[in-house]
Amino acid sequence: MTTTLRPTEPLQHAADGTRSRRYQVCVNGRPVGGVRLTTHPEYGPAVARVEGLRIDEPDRGRGRGTVAALAAEEVARGWGCRSVEVSVPAESATGLRLATALGYVLRSRNMVKRLAPEGARDTLPAGRTVRPLTEAELGPWLTEVADGAAAALMERGVPEAEAYAKANLGNARFLPDGLATENTLISVLEDEGTRVGTLWLGLWPHTAWVLNVEVGAGQRGRGHGRTLMLLAETQTMEGGKDRIGLHVFADNTPAERLYESLGYETTAYNLAKELG
């Protein structure tokens, strides 16, 4: 029995520079599922993404998914990609086992918390205050955000140039008009007048998203991170949203523990694999 990928559309070229193509997964020419392969919209053409891999119920448990995933990797190599990524829904234990068996390494996860209106409350302990980031602080703060994001990516094997390109692209994408960007809040937490951390929150159409939260290196371990996350919840509810999400790297254990203690639940695991 031979499992192959059959294109169902011409190679697509999007305005953002990505390319993609949908395929049927076939066994001896018989369709048994589907998959979409695309280049990464942020990391660039050297990184591929396998999306929506599906094997129909009657053909599951026979290795079709494994062969289809390997075939997708071969297509990605043909596109000149050096690595490939996949996001697995948290409820898909089978998908996570398959990705791990194929050599994909967990890099991060997405987490979400649903908020109840009655949860709104004063979140600031005595001595702590919150104010908006100022125009004078914006430039240095953006540099700090880019440096932090790039460093995290480089620790995971992303080349320096690609890491900074992604970090700067993220800043430009989510903050196109600086502090005047619509539905964006950037807050500074102070403790007895000393700046101790910042929170960048996006109030998107259906959810709020923590784009960046940072506590100063000399200020950690004092509960400031929890204060900032509770502030994010309050700002989310004040913005009319009942759900807040975030992205956390797999080796940031303190952050993962904080988010779990606050009631965040994992919605997706993000894994990556280098293509030799």
Side-chain angles (χ1 to χ4, degrees):
M1 303 287 281
T2 302
T3 302
T4 58
L5 299 185
R6 176 191 295 164
T8 60
E9 64 180 0
L11 186 62
Q12 305 294 305
H13 295 272
D16 62 2
T18 60
R19 54 179 171 173
S20 65
R21 202 170 197 181
R22 297 183 186 275
Y23 300 84
Q24 283 182 332
V25 180
C26 298
V27 175
N28 291 342
R30 176 176 60 87
V32 298
V35 66
R36 179 175 183 260
L37 187 68
T38 180
T39 53
H40 204 289
E42 296 180 26
Y43 289 12
V47 182
R49 285 184 60 84
V50 176
E51 300 178 349
L53 176 58
R54 184 196 83 256
I55 301 298
D56 297 335
E57 183 66 40
D59 282 272
R60 293 177 186 172
R62 304 182 184 184
R64 316 292 196 214
T66 298
V67 177
L70 293 172
E73 292 176 14
E74 284 303 312
V75 175
R77 289 187 181 90
W79 287 2
C81 298
R82 297 196 300 270
S83 63
V84 60
E85 295 187 347
V86 62
S87 291
V88 179
E91 64 272 16
S92 179
T94 300
L96 191 59
R97 285 196 300 269
L98 172 59
T100 302
L102 289 173
Y104 286 77
V105 176
L106 180 65
R107 279 192 172 173
S108 64
R109 52 175 165 154
N110 297 343
M111 305 183 77
V112 166
K113 180 178 180 179
R114 292 195 175 275
L115 306 174
E118 60 271 18
R121 58 195 181 280
D122 181 4
T123 60
L124 295 178
R128 298 180 193 176
T129 57
V130 173
R131 62 171 175 82
L133 191 79
T134 67
E135 287 288 350
E137 294 171 310
L138 179 61
W141 175 79
L142 282 173
T143 298
E144 291 174 7
V145 171
D147 286 344
L153 291 170
M154 287 187 285
E155 288 174 1
R156 291 157 181 80
V158 178
E160 181 177 1
E162 285 185 32
Y164 271 97
K166 174 189 168 13
N168 291 323
L169 181 62
N171 285 349
R173 176 184 177 191
F174 296 116
L175 211 61
D177 299 316
L179 295 180
T181 300
E182 189 177 6
N183 298 320
T184 299
L185 299 172
I186 304 176
S187 305
V188 175
L189 176 65
E190 295 184 338
D191 188 7
E192 301 293 347
T194 299
R195 175 173 163 176
V196 296
T198 55
L199 168 69
W200 179 8
L201 184 71
L203 296 172
W204 295 346
H206 301 294
T207 187
W209 194 266
V210 178
L211 292 159
N212 183 269
V213 60
E214 183 67 26
V215 174
Q219 301 291 338
R220 293 169 188 166
R222 304 179 186 181
H224 298 317
R226 180 174 292 271
T227 298
L228 285 167
M229 292 306 300
L230 292 175
L231 172 65
E233 292 184 23
T234 298
Q235 291 180 339
T236 294
M237 289 182 283
E238 290 175 346
K241 313 298 178 186
D242 64 358
R243 185 174 67 171
I244 183 171
L246 54 82
H247 173 270
V248 59
F249 284 112
D251 57 359
N252 192 347
T253 303
E256 288 182 323
R257 289 175 177 168
L258 171 61
Y259 303 147
E260 289 173 348
S261 74
L262 289 170
Y264 284 78
E265 297 181 348
T266 300
T267 57
Y269 295 97
N270 307 305
L271 303 98
K273 178 180 180 179
E274 298 300 315
L275 297 175

